[in-house]
Amino acid sequence: FTLSCGSLMMQQCAAARRPAVAWLRAALVDVAHSRCSSMVTAAGFEPGQGPSLGPNISKSAEPVPRSKPSALKSAEPPAPSPLLAVRATAESEQIAPGTPYAKELRLLTHVLRNATAGDPLSVCEQIERFGEDVLQHSGQWLKVAGAQKATVLAAALHDVPRGGSVLEIGCYCGYSAIRMAMALPGARIVTLEVDPAHVVIARNMVAFAGLAHMIDVWTGHSKDLLSRLPDRYGGVDKFKLCAVFMDQRGTRYDDDLAVIERLGLLLPEAVVIADNVLKPGSPLFLWRLQRGPTYDTHIVTVREFAMPSEDWMSVSILRLPLDGTGLDQVVGEQEEDDEDYEEHRCNALLGSASGPADLVQLQWESDRIRAQATRAGQGVSFAQWSSFADQMRTRMAPFGIAATIDAMDLQEGRLLFPRPLPPPGAMRAARLRARHRGDNCADTEGIEAVG
């Protein structure tokens, strides 16, 4: 499996990426040849025997519905291959300074060395440990939705519609895909990653966790892949989404969700989750979500994983058909409470307006600091990220954009969208009334009282 991924990478990667790929292949091949026999013997297998790796992770034709136990039974994962159970040797961690993707390669070897093959929770715990115990002390950061963010992910997926797949945009090294597969046993997780080096690492993480039968990792940019995905899974009628998790560049959230909506992929009451909407930020996306009744939205304040900074995650539930059915009735009921009724009515559907100039400026600043963080030789310190998050929170507040719930409450068992759901638009109406009274927009008790 690793060799085939490496071969694909050698064809796809640019010259700058090839040293990392060569290192990955050499390290894992050396580990396999030097230790596979002893590991197989220790596992109780004779040389040349043992369970197979299982099916290719990208060949499934349609989602696995969680509502059919027989389908789940047929999708039982094969036992982990002895090859995947091999631990990385100390020599494999000797990555030369300046090696491309050194952080991600070190992460992979850490997981192979310390996690238990076939145990998804163990894999996720070791990814978090690497980010907190290894990288954080050196001032480096691992961009995964760990710790409190993992709690938000699980809470958001608590009551998603049955029978749908989950789409993730921005796989990175596979952490959140594995988390979501654990939260929704039997559901198909389809995840997109633009960087082919990250794809190789993510596929190895997924296979090592024993979830290759549940998670498909696709290589490419969302603007190229989204419109092609339904055909890969038997057409739009067979490829329906119960949840979407967006963890790519925040200024693309609008465009990508608009494509998903236009294709008609979202099931009724599907959940849309977006990470990093405060830092680096996605101000226009939040503004548009909250201005119409099509979605009910919570903005969850969280502590950034392995960084002393605040961040937000947005969690939205689809309440109205995307063809606009029922929109006039819901918006009309709030006309007396909303001084900007006509403007809200025109902007009720996502992506229909450019947004206020101040938020457009914030969007530009968000892209600028994101580019600085990824630029070689520059970067952004933890203190700078924290200061930027404070500025974003302060400057979005005048537009009614504020956190509505704390991740700590979700850790204590609180639900994001308790059933029965309030009428469509009720959460928005409560925010508007609170804003007109001059109250704090984060008054979630007032929002819930409407329902």
Side-chain angles (χ1 to χ4, degrees), residues 294-331:
T294 305
Y295 295 89
D296 282 350
T297 298
H298 267 303
I299 298 176
V300 187
T301 178
V302 300
R303 179 180 174 86
E304 180 61 90
F305 171 69
M307 182 186 293
S309 172
E310 181 188 7
D311 196 11
W312 291 348
M313 296 177 72
S314 68
V315 183
S316 306
I317 183 171
L318 180 63
R319 300 302 312 279
L320 291 175
L322 293 169
D323 60 5
T325 304
L327 182 62
D328 289 338
Q329 178 183 359
V330 175
V331 176

PDB file of all heavy atoms in Angstrom, residues 294-331:
ATOM      1  N   THR A 294     -32.223  30.163   6.056  1.00  0.00           N
ATOM      2  CA  THR A 294     -31.997  28.859   5.419  1.00  0.00           C
ATOM      3  C   THR A 294     -31.253  27.918   6.363  1.00  0.00           C
ATOM      4  O   THR A 294     -31.519  26.711   6.388  1.00  0.00           O
ATOM      5  CB  THR A 294     -31.206  29.034   4.111  1.00  0.00           C
ATOM      6  OG1 THR A 294     -31.899  29.961   3.266  1.00  0.00           O
ATOM      7  CG2 THR A 294     -31.076  27.704   3.377  1.00  0.00           C
ATOM      8  N   TYR A 295     -30.324  28.462   7.145  1.00  0.00           N
ATOM      9  CA  TYR A 295     -29.563  27.676   8.113  1.00  0.00           C
ATOM     10  C   TYR A 295     -29.780  28.251   9.511  1.00  0.00           C
ATOM     11  O   TYR A 295     -29.854  29.473   9.680  1.00  0.00           O
ATOM     12  CB  TYR A 295     -28.062  27.711   7.811  1.00  0.00           C
ATOM     13  CG  TYR A 295     -27.650  27.066   6.518  1.00  0.00           C
ATOM     14  CD1 TYR A 295     -27.610  27.788   5.329  1.00  0.00           C
ATOM     15  CD2 TYR A 295     -27.268  25.720   6.469  1.00  0.00           C
ATOM     16  CE1 TYR A 295     -27.217  27.204   4.140  1.00  0.00           C
ATOM     17  CE2 TYR A 295     -26.873  25.122   5.284  1.00  0.00           C
ATOM     18  CZ  TYR A 295     -26.850  25.875   4.123  1.00  0.00           C
ATOM     19  OH  TYR A 295     -26.463  25.286   2.944  1.00  0.00           O
ATOM     20  N   ASP A 296     -29.860  27.387  10.503  1.00  0.00           N
ATOM     21  CA  ASP A 296     -29.663  27.785  11.896  1.00  0.00           C
ATOM     22  C   ASP A 296     -28.186  27.580  12.215  1.00  0.00           C
ATOM     23  O   ASP A 296     -27.629  26.514  11.908  1.00  0.00           O
ATOM     24  CB  ASP A 296     -30.513  26.928  12.836  1.00  0.00           C
ATOM     25  CG  ASP A 296     -31.976  27.344  12.850  1.00  0.00           C
ATOM     26  OD1 ASP A 296     -32.301  28.409  12.289  1.00  0.00           O
ATOM     27  OD2 ASP A 296     -32.796  26.589  13.398  1.00  0.00           O
ATOM     28  N   THR A 297     -27.575  28.577  12.836  1.00  0.00           N
ATOM     29  CA  THR A 297     -26.120  28.537  13.019  1.00  0.00           C
ATOM     30  C   THR A 297     -25.733  28.821  14.460  1.00  0.00           C
ATOM     31  O   THR A 297     -26.240  29.760  15.077  1.00  0.00           O
ATOM     32  CB  THR A 297     -25.425  29.556  12.091  1.00  0.00           C
ATOM     33  OG1 THR A 297     -25.683  29.210  10.726  1.00  0.00           O
ATOM     34  CG2 THR A 297     -23.918  29.560  12.327  1.00  0.00           C
ATOM     35  N   HIS A 298     -24.849  27.993  14.974  1.00  0.00           N
ATOM     36  CA  HIS A 298     -24.152  28.268  16.222  1.00  0.00           C
ATOM     37  C   HIS A 298     -22.693  28.575  15.895  1.00  0.00           C
ATOM     38  O   HIS A 298     -22.074  27.915  15.034  1.00  0.00           O
ATOM     39  CB  HIS A 298     -24.193  27.062  17.168  1.00  0.00           C
ATOM     40  CG  HIS A 298     -25.337  27.080  18.130  1.00  0.00           C
ATOM     41  ND1 HIS A 298     -25.551  28.122  19.010  1.00  0.00           N
ATOM     42  CD2 HIS A 298     -26.321  26.169  18.371  1.00  0.00           C
ATOM     43  CE1 HIS A 298     -26.618  27.860  19.745  1.00  0.00           C
ATOM     44  NE2 HIS A 298     -27.114  26.692  19.375  1.00  0.00           N
ATOM     45  N   ILE A 299     -22.141  29.555  16.583  1.00  0.00           N
ATOM     46  CA  ILE A 299     -20.704  29.829  16.528  1.00  0.00           C
ATOM     47  C   ILE A 299     -20.124  29.411  17.871  1.00  0.00           C
ATOM     48  O   ILE A 299     -20.491  29.957  18.914  1.00  0.00           O
ATOM     49  CB  ILE A 299     -20.414  31.312  16.237  1.00  0.00           C
ATOM     50  CG1 ILE A 299     -20.978  31.706  14.870  1.00  0.00           C
ATOM     51  CG2 ILE A 299     -18.915  31.583  16.291  1.00  0.00           C
ATOM     52  CD1 ILE A 299     -20.815  33.175  14.540  1.00  0.00           C
ATOM     53  N   VAL A 300     -19.242  28.425  17.833  1.00  0.00           N
ATOM     54  CA  VAL A 300     -18.717  27.822  19.060  1.00  0.00           C
ATOM     55  C   VAL A 300     -17.323  28.385  19.326  1.00  0.00           C
ATOM     56  O   VAL A 300     -16.429  28.292  18.472  1.00  0.00           O
ATOM     57  CB  VAL A 300     -18.649  26.286  18.934  1.00  0.00           C
ATOM     58  CG1 VAL A 300     -18.269  25.669  20.280  1.00  0.00           C
ATOM     59  CG2 VAL A 300     -19.971  25.713  18.432  1.00  0.00           C
ATOM     60  N   THR A 301     -17.138  28.963  20.495  1.00  0.00           N
ATOM     61  CA  THR A 301     -15.806  29.421  20.871  1.00  0.00           C
ATOM     62  C   THR A 301     -15.024  28.257  21.471  1.00  0.00           C
ATOM     63  O   THR A 301     -15.527  27.524  22.334  1.00  0.00           O
ATOM     64  CB  THR A 301     -15.871  30.598  21.856  1.00  0.00           C
ATOM     65  OG1 THR A 301     -14.529  30.971  22.231  1.00  0.00           O
ATOM     66  CG2 THR A 301     -16.662  30.257  23.111  1.00  0.00           C
ATOM     67  N   VAL A 302     -13.804  28.073  20.983  1.00  0.00           N
ATOM     68  CA  VAL A 302     -12.961  26.958  21.406  1.00  0.00           C
ATOM     69  C   VAL A 302     -11.550  27.472  21.667  1.00  0.00           C
ATOM     70  O   VAL A 302     -11.148  28.523  21.163  1.00  0.00           O
ATOM     71  CB  VAL A 302     -12.901  25.838  20.335  1.00  0.00           C
ATOM     72  CG1 VAL A 302     -14.282  25.277  20.049  1.00  0.00           C
ATOM     73  CG2 VAL A 302     -12.266  26.346  19.047  1.00  0.00           C
ATOM     74  N   ARG A 303     -10.830  26.693  22.421  1.00  0.00           N
ATOM     75  CA  ARG A 303      -9.395  26.939  22.559  1.00  0.00           C
ATOM     76  C   ARG A 303      -8.706  26.217  21.414  1.00  0.00           C
ATOM     77  O   ARG A 303      -8.926  25.030  21.183  1.00  0.00           O
ATOM     78  CB  ARG A 303      -8.873  26.428  23.899  1.00  0.00           C
ATOM     79  CG  ARG A 303      -7.374  26.623  24.111  1.00  0.00           C
ATOM     80  CD  ARG A 303      -6.941  26.078  25.463  1.00  0.00           C
ATOM     81  NE  ARG A 303      -5.500  26.133  25.631  1.00  0.00           N
ATOM     82  CZ  ARG A 303      -4.837  27.182  26.082  1.00  0.00           C
ATOM     83  NH1 ARG A 303      -5.506  28.275  26.417  1.00  0.00           N
ATOM     84  NH2 ARG A 303      -3.525  27.165  26.217  1.00  0.00           N
ATOM     85  N   GLU A 304      -7.881  26.946  20.678  1.00  0.00           N
ATOM     86  CA  GLU A 304      -7.185  26.338  19.552  1.00  0.00           C
ATOM     87  C   GLU A 304      -6.338  25.163  20.011  1.00  0.00           C
ATOM     88  O   GLU A 304      -5.725  25.213  21.092  1.00  0.00           O
ATOM     89  CB  GLU A 304      -6.303  27.377  18.858  1.00  0.00           C
ATOM     90  CG  GLU A 304      -5.519  26.850  17.667  1.00  0.00           C
ATOM     91  CD  GLU A 304      -6.413  26.315  16.566  1.00  0.00           C
ATOM     92  OE1 GLU A 304      -6.792  27.099  15.683  1.00  0.00           O
ATOM     93  OE2 GLU A 304      -6.721  25.094  16.605  1.00  0.00           O
ATOM     94  N   PHE A 305      -6.319  24.117  19.223  1.00  0.00           N
ATOM     95  CA  PHE A 305      -5.530  22.945  19.587  1.00  0.00           C
ATOM     96  C   PHE A 305      -4.047  23.295  19.632  1.00  0.00           C
ATOM     97  O   PHE A 305      -3.486  23.855  18.690  1.00  0.00           O
ATOM     98  CB  PHE A 305      -5.759  21.823  18.570  1.00  0.00           C
ATOM     99  CG  PHE A 305      -4.816  20.664  18.740  1.00  0.00           C
ATOM    100  CD1 PHE A 305      -4.913  19.833  19.848  1.00  0.00           C
ATOM    101  CD2 PHE A 305      -3.812  20.427  17.813  1.00  0.00           C
ATOM    102  CE1 PHE A 305      -4.039  18.780  20.021  1.00  0.00           C
ATOM    103  CE2 PHE A 305      -2.932  19.372  17.977  1.00  0.00           C
ATOM    104  CZ  PHE A 305      -3.044  18.543  19.087  1.00  0.00           C
ATOM    105  N   ALA A 306      -3.419  22.964  20.763  1.00  0.00           N
ATOM    106  CA  ALA A 306      -1.966  23.107  20.945  1.00  0.00           C
ATOM    107  C   ALA A 306      -1.480  24.530  20.688  1.00  0.00           C
ATOM    108  O   ALA A 306      -0.367  24.738  20.209  1.00  0.00           O
ATOM    109  CB  ALA A 306      -1.214  22.123  20.050  1.00  0.00           C
ATOM    110  N   MET A 307      -2.318  25.513  21.014  1.00  0.00           N
ATOM    111  CA  MET A 307      -1.927  26.910  20.842  1.00  0.00           C
ATOM    112  C   MET A 307      -2.704  27.759  21.847  1.00  0.00           C
ATOM    113  O   MET A 307      -3.915  27.578  21.978  1.00  0.00           O
ATOM    114  CB  MET A 307      -2.212  27.399  19.416  1.00  0.00           C
ATOM    115  CG  MET A 307      -1.775  28.839  19.161  1.00  0.00           C
ATOM    116  SD  MET A 307      -2.286  29.473  17.527  1.00  0.00           S
ATOM    117  CE  MET A 307      -1.286  28.454  16.451  1.00  0.00           C
ATOM    118  N   PRO A 308      -2.060  28.691  22.547  1.00  0.00           N
ATOM    119  CA  PRO A 308      -2.762  29.547  23.514  1.00  0.00           C
ATOM    120  C   PRO A 308      -3.522  30.667  22.814  1.00  0.00           C
ATOM    121  O   PRO A 308      -3.165  31.844  22.899  1.00  0.00           O
ATOM    122  CB  PRO A 308      -1.625  30.081  24.392  1.00  0.00           C
ATOM    123  CG  PRO A 308      -0.435  30.100  23.468  1.00  0.00           C
ATOM    124  CD  PRO A 308      -0.608  28.918  22.564  1.00  0.00           C
ATOM    125  N   SER A 309      -4.597  30.309  22.121  1.00  0.00           N
ATOM    126  CA  SER A 309      -5.367  31.289  21.375  1.00  0.00           C
ATOM    127  C   SER A 309      -6.809  30.824  21.271  1.00  0.00           C
ATOM    128  O   SER A 309      -7.103  29.618  21.284  1.00  0.00           O
ATOM    129  CB  SER A 309      -4.780  31.483  19.967  1.00  0.00           C
ATOM    130  OG  SER A 309      -5.617  32.296  19.170  1.00  0.00           O
ATOM    131  N   GLU A 310      -7.720  31.772  21.159  1.00  0.00           N
ATOM    132  CA  GLU A 310      -9.120  31.447  20.914  1.00  0.00           C
ATOM    133  C   GLU A 310      -9.339  31.210  19.429  1.00  0.00           C
ATOM    134  O   GLU A 310      -8.666  31.781  18.569  1.00  0.00           O
ATOM    135  CB  GLU A 310     -10.024  32.599  21.373  1.00  0.00           C
ATOM    136  CG  GLU A 310     -11.515  32.340  21.175  1.00  0.00           C
ATOM    137  CD  GLU A 310     -12.387  33.550  21.459  1.00  0.00           C
ATOM    138  OE1 GLU A 310     -11.813  34.645  21.678  1.00  0.00           O
ATOM    139  OE2 GLU A 310     -13.627  33.404  21.460  1.00  0.00           O
ATOM    140  N   ASP A 311     -10.294  30.364  19.101  1.00  0.00           N
ATOM    141  CA  ASP A 311     -10.761  30.199  17.733  1.00  0.00           C
ATOM    142  C   ASP A 311     -12.260  29.933  17.779  1.00  0.00           C
ATOM    143  O   ASP A 311     -12.825  29.714  18.864  1.00  0.00           O
ATOM    144  CB  ASP A 311     -10.021  29.069  17.019  1.00  0.00           C
ATOM    145  CG  ASP A 311     -10.195  29.111  15.501  1.00  0.00           C
ATOM    146  OD1 ASP A 311     -10.711  30.120  14.993  1.00  0.00           O
ATOM    147  OD2 ASP A 311      -9.816  28.140  14.833  1.00  0.00           O
ATOM    148  N   TRP A 312     -12.897  29.965  16.625  1.00  0.00           N
ATOM    149  CA  TRP A 312     -14.309  29.636  16.519  1.00  0.00           C
ATOM    150  C   TRP A 312     -14.504  28.527  15.504  1.00  0.00           C
ATOM    151  O   TRP A 312     -13.741  28.408  14.534  1.00  0.00           O
ATOM    152  CB  TRP A 312     -15.129  30.830  16.039  1.00  0.00           C
ATOM    153  CG  TRP A 312     -15.261  31.965  16.994  1.00  0.00           C
ATOM    154  CD1 TRP A 312     -14.922  31.985  18.327  1.00  0.00           C
ATOM    155  CD2 TRP A 312     -15.764  33.277  16.693  1.00  0.00           C
ATOM    156  NE1 TRP A 312     -15.179  33.206  18.873  1.00  0.00           N
ATOM    157  CE2 TRP A 312     -15.706  34.029  17.897  1.00  0.00           C
ATOM    158  CE3 TRP A 312     -16.252  33.877  15.546  1.00  0.00           C
ATOM    159  CZ2 TRP A 312     -16.122  35.358  17.955  1.00  0.00           C
ATOM    160  CZ3 TRP A 312     -16.671  35.195  15.602  1.00  0.00           C
ATOM    161  CH2 TRP A 312     -16.599  35.925  16.796  1.00  0.00           C
ATOM    162  N   MET A 313     -15.536  27.727  15.732  1.00  0.00           N
ATOM    163  CA  MET A 313     -16.049  26.798  14.739  1.00  0.00           C
ATOM    164  C   MET A 313     -17.530  27.113  14.549  1.00  0.00           C
ATOM    165  O   MET A 313     -18.238  27.343  15.529  1.00  0.00           O
ATOM    166  CB  MET A 313     -15.879  25.346  15.186  1.00  0.00           C
ATOM    167  CG  MET A 313     -14.439  24.896  15.335  1.00  0.00           C
ATOM    168  SD  MET A 313     -14.312  23.189  15.950  1.00  0.00           S
ATOM    169  CE  MET A 313     -14.845  22.254  14.494  1.00  0.00           C
ATOM    170  N   SER A 314     -17.975  27.156  13.308  1.00  0.00           N
ATOM    171  CA  SER A 314     -19.403  27.364  13.062  1.00  0.00           C
ATOM    172  C   SER A 314     -20.054  26.020  12.760  1.00  0.00           C
ATOM    173  O   SER A 314     -19.465  25.165  12.092  1.00  0.00           O
ATOM    174  CB  SER A 314     -19.633  28.335  11.899  1.00  0.00           C
ATOM    175  OG  SER A 314     -19.215  27.776  10.667  1.00  0.00           O
ATOM    176  N   VAL A 315     -21.255  25.830  13.280  1.00  0.00           N
ATOM    177  CA  VAL A 315     -22.035  24.621  13.029  1.00  0.00           C
ATOM    178  C   VAL A 315     -23.422  25.072  12.587  1.00  0.00           C
ATOM    179  O   VAL A 315     -24.129  25.743  13.347  1.00  0.00           O
ATOM    180  CB  VAL A 315     -22.140  23.723  14.273  1.00  0.00           C
ATOM    181  CG1 VAL A 315     -22.890  22.439  13.933  1.00  0.00           C
ATOM    182  CG2 VAL A 315     -20.758  23.402  14.827  1.00  0.00           C
ATOM    183  N   SER A 316     -23.808  24.718  11.361  1.00  0.00           N
ATOM    184  CA  SER A 316     -25.077  25.161  10.788  1.00  0.00           C
ATOM    185  C   SER A 316     -25.897  23.949  10.381  1.00  0.00           C
ATOM    186  O   SER A 316     -25.365  22.966   9.868  1.00  0.00           O
ATOM    187  CB  SER A 316     -24.834  26.052   9.559  1.00  0.00           C
ATOM    188  OG  SER A 316     -23.973  27.131   9.873  1.00  0.00           O
ATOM    189  N   ILE A 317     -27.205  24.043  10.579  1.00  0.00           N
ATOM    190  CA  ILE A 317     -28.112  22.973  10.194  1.00  0.00           C
ATOM    191  C   ILE A 317     -29.076  23.511   9.143  1.00  0.00           C
ATOM    192  O   ILE A 317     -29.640  24.607   9.302  1.00  0.00           O
ATOM    193  CB  ILE A 317     -28.861  22.404  11.425  1.00  0.00           C
ATOM    194  CG1 ILE A 317     -29.756  21.230  11.012  1.00  0.00           C
ATOM    195  CG2 ILE A 317     -29.647  23.476  12.150  1.00  0.00           C
ATOM    196  CD1 ILE A 317     -30.362  20.488  12.196  1.00  0.00           C
ATOM    197  N   LEU A 318     -29.235  22.780   8.053  1.00  0.00           N
ATOM    198  CA  LEU A 318     -30.090  23.204   6.947  1.00  0.00           C
ATOM    199  C   LEU A 318     -31.550  23.090   7.361  1.00  0.00           C
ATOM    200  O   LEU A 318     -32.044  21.997   7.657  1.00  0.00           O
ATOM    201  CB  LEU A 318     -29.803  22.337   5.714  1.00  0.00           C
ATOM    202  CG  LEU A 318     -30.607  22.648   4.456  1.00  0.00           C
ATOM    203  CD1 LEU A 318     -30.291  24.057   3.954  1.00  0.00           C
ATOM    204  CD2 LEU A 318     -30.317  21.617   3.372  1.00  0.00           C
ATOM    205  N   ARG A 319     -32.284  24.213   7.335  1.00  0.00           N
ATOM    206  CA  ARG A 319     -33.657  24.231   7.807  1.00  0.00           C
ATOM    207  C   ARG A 319     -34.686  24.394   6.701  1.00  0.00           C
ATOM    208  O   ARG A 319     -35.843  24.020   6.864  1.00  0.00           O
ATOM    209  CB  ARG A 319     -33.850  25.362   8.825  1.00  0.00           C
ATOM    210  CG  ARG A 319     -32.974  25.263  10.065  1.00  0.00           C
ATOM    211  CD  ARG A 319     -33.189  23.958  10.820  1.00  0.00           C
ATOM    212  NE  ARG A 319     -34.594  23.647  11.028  1.00  0.00           N
ATOM    213  CZ  ARG A 319     -35.349  24.171  11.989  1.00  0.00           C
ATOM    214  NH1 ARG A 319     -34.813  25.039  12.832  1.00  0.00           N
ATOM    215  NH2 ARG A 319     -36.613  23.830  12.116  1.00  0.00           N
ATOM    216  N   LEU A 320     -34.300  25.037   5.587  1.00  0.00           N
ATOM    217  CA  LEU A 320     -35.233  25.296   4.498  1.00  0.00           C
ATOM    218  C   LEU A 320     -34.682  24.734   3.192  1.00  0.00           C
ATOM    219  O   LEU A 320     -33.460  24.675   3.008  1.00  0.00           O
ATOM    220  CB  LEU A 320     -35.470  26.802   4.336  1.00  0.00           C
ATOM    221  CG  LEU A 320     -36.232  27.507   5.450  1.00  0.00           C
ATOM    222  CD1 LEU A 320     -36.273  29.004   5.182  1.00  0.00           C
ATOM    223  CD2 LEU A 320     -37.641  26.955   5.573  1.00  0.00           C
ATOM    224  N   PRO A 321     -35.558  24.330   2.275  1.00  0.00           N
ATOM    225  CA  PRO A 321     -35.080  23.881   0.956  1.00  0.00           C
ATOM    226  C   PRO A 321     -34.283  24.989   0.282  1.00  0.00           C
ATOM    227  O   PRO A 321     -34.589  26.177   0.405  1.00  0.00           O
ATOM    228  CB  PRO A 321     -36.375  23.586   0.192  1.00  0.00           C
ATOM    229  CG  PRO A 321     -37.405  23.341   1.250  1.00  0.00           C
ATOM    230  CD  PRO A 321     -37.027  24.229   2.403  1.00  0.00           C
ATOM    231  N   LEU A 322     -33.254  24.596  -0.445  1.00  0.00           N
ATOM    232  CA  LEU A 322     -32.363  25.570  -1.061  1.00  0.00           C
ATOM    233  C   LEU A 322     -32.958  26.220  -2.299  1.00  0.00           C
ATOM    234  O   LEU A 322     -32.348  27.111  -2.879  1.00  0.00           O
ATOM    235  CB  LEU A 322     -31.031  24.901  -1.397  1.00  0.00           C
ATOM    236  CG  LEU A 322     -30.223  24.490  -0.165  1.00  0.00           C
ATOM    237  CD1 LEU A 322     -29.059  23.594  -0.550  1.00  0.00           C
ATOM    238  CD2 LEU A 322     -29.732  25.715   0.580  1.00  0.00           C
ATOM    239  N   ASP A 323     -34.139  25.767  -2.733  1.00  0.00           N
ATOM    240  CA  ASP A 323     -34.795  26.418  -3.870  1.00  0.00           C
ATOM    241  C   ASP A 323     -35.582  27.646  -3.441  1.00  0.00           C
ATOM    242  O   ASP A 323     -36.245  28.286  -4.253  1.00  0.00           O
ATOM    243  CB  ASP A 323     -35.720  25.430  -4.596  1.00  0.00           C
ATOM    244  CG  ASP A 323     -36.816  24.874  -3.677  1.00  0.00           C
ATOM    245  OD1 ASP A 323     -36.914  25.320  -2.517  1.00  0.00           O
ATOM    246  OD2 ASP A 323     -37.543  23.968  -4.121  1.00  0.00           O
ATOM    247  N   GLY A 324     -35.521  28.000  -2.152  1.00  0.00           N
ATOM    248  CA  GLY A 324     -36.201  29.193  -1.656  1.00  0.00           C
ATOM    249  C   GLY A 324     -37.614  28.948  -1.166  1.00  0.00           C
ATOM    250  O   GLY A 324     -38.277  29.879  -0.709  1.00  0.00           O
ATOM    251  N   THR A 325     -38.097  27.710  -1.240  1.00  0.00           N
ATOM    252  CA  THR A 325     -39.448  27.395  -0.784  1.00  0.00           C
ATOM    253  C   THR A 325     -39.604  27.752   0.695  1.00  0.00           C
ATOM    254  O   THR A 325     -38.795  27.339   1.525  1.00  0.00           O
ATOM    255  CB  THR A 325     -39.743  25.899  -0.988  1.00  0.00           C
ATOM    256  OG1 THR A 325     -39.542  25.566  -2.355  1.00  0.00           O
ATOM    257  CG2 THR A 325     -41.167  25.583  -0.587  1.00  0.00           C
ATOM    258  N   GLY A 326     -40.641  28.514   1.009  1.00  0.00           N
ATOM    259  CA  GLY A 326     -40.902  28.883   2.398  1.00  0.00           C
ATOM    260  C   GLY A 326     -40.125  30.081   2.876  1.00  0.00           C
ATOM    261  O   GLY A 326     -40.315  30.544   4.002  1.00  0.00           O
ATOM    262  N   LEU A 327     -39.256  30.644   2.037  1.00  0.00           N
ATOM    263  CA  LEU A 327     -38.414  31.758   2.469  1.00  0.00           C
ATOM    264  C   LEU A 327     -39.231  33.008   2.769  1.00  0.00           C
ATOM    265  O   LEU A 327     -39.026  33.667   3.791  1.00  0.00           O
ATOM    266  CB  LEU A 327     -37.370  32.055   1.386  1.00  0.00           C
ATOM    267  CG  LEU A 327     -36.359  33.166   1.685  1.00  0.00           C
ATOM    268  CD1 LEU A 327     -35.529  32.800   2.902  1.00  0.00           C
ATOM    269  CD2 LEU A 327     -35.473  33.401   0.481  1.00  0.00           C
ATOM    270  N   ASP A 328     -40.178  33.349   1.890  1.00  0.00           N
ATOM    271  CA  ASP A 328     -40.960  34.571   2.098  1.00  0.00           C
ATOM    272  C   ASP A 328     -41.745  34.519   3.406  1.00  0.00           C
ATOM    273  O   ASP A 328     -41.839  35.501   4.133  1.00  0.00           O
ATOM    274  CB  ASP A 328     -41.916  34.785   0.924  1.00  0.00           C
ATOM    275  CG  ASP A 328     -41.180  35.190  -0.342  1.00  0.00           C
ATOM    276  OD1 ASP A 328     -40.057  35.695  -0.213  1.00  0.00           O
ATOM    277  OD2 ASP A 328     -41.726  34.983  -1.439  1.00  0.00           O
ATOM    278  N   GLN A 329     -42.297  33.370   3.716  1.00  0.00           N
ATOM    279  CA  GLN A 329     -43.093  33.245   4.938  1.00  0.00           C
ATOM    280  C   GLN A 329     -42.236  33.446   6.184  1.00  0.00           C
ATOM    281  O   GLN A 329     -42.599  34.175   7.098  1.00  0.00           O
ATOM    282  CB  GLN A 329     -43.767  31.877   4.984  1.00  0.00           C
ATOM    283  CG  GLN A 329     -44.585  31.655   6.255  1.00  0.00           C
ATOM    284  CD  GLN A 329     -45.197  30.266   6.310  1.00  0.00           C
ATOM    285  OE1 GLN A 329     -45.022  29.475   5.397  1.00  0.00           O
ATOM    286  NE2 GLN A 329     -45.898  29.996   7.386  1.00  0.00           N
ATOM    287  N   VAL A 330     -41.078  32.814   6.202  1.00  0.00           N
ATOM    288  CA  VAL A 330     -40.227  32.911   7.386  1.00  0.00           C
ATOM    289  C   VAL A 330     -39.683  34.312   7.551  1.00  0.00           C
ATOM    290  O   VAL A 330     -39.733  34.901   8.631  1.00  0.00           O
ATOM    291  CB  VAL A 330     -39.069  31.888   7.299  1.00  0.00           C
ATOM    292  CG1 VAL A 330     -38.117  32.085   8.461  1.00  0.00           C
ATOM    293  CG2 VAL A 330     -39.617  30.480   7.287  1.00  0.00           C
ATOM    294  N   VAL A 331     -39.143  34.897   6.465  1.00  0.00           N
ATOM    295  CA  VAL A 331     -38.588  36.243   6.570  1.00  0.00           C
ATOM    296  C   VAL A 331     -39.683  37.245   6.885  1.00  0.00           C
ATOM    297  O   VAL A 331     -39.522  38.151   7.686  1.00  0.00           O
ATOM    298  CB  VAL A 331     -37.852  36.621   5.262  1.00  0.00           C
ATOM    299  CG1 VAL A 331     -37.358  38.055   5.327  1.00  0.00           C
ATOM    300  CG2 VAL A 331     -36.680  35.683   5.040  1.00  0.00           C
TER     301      VAL A 331
END
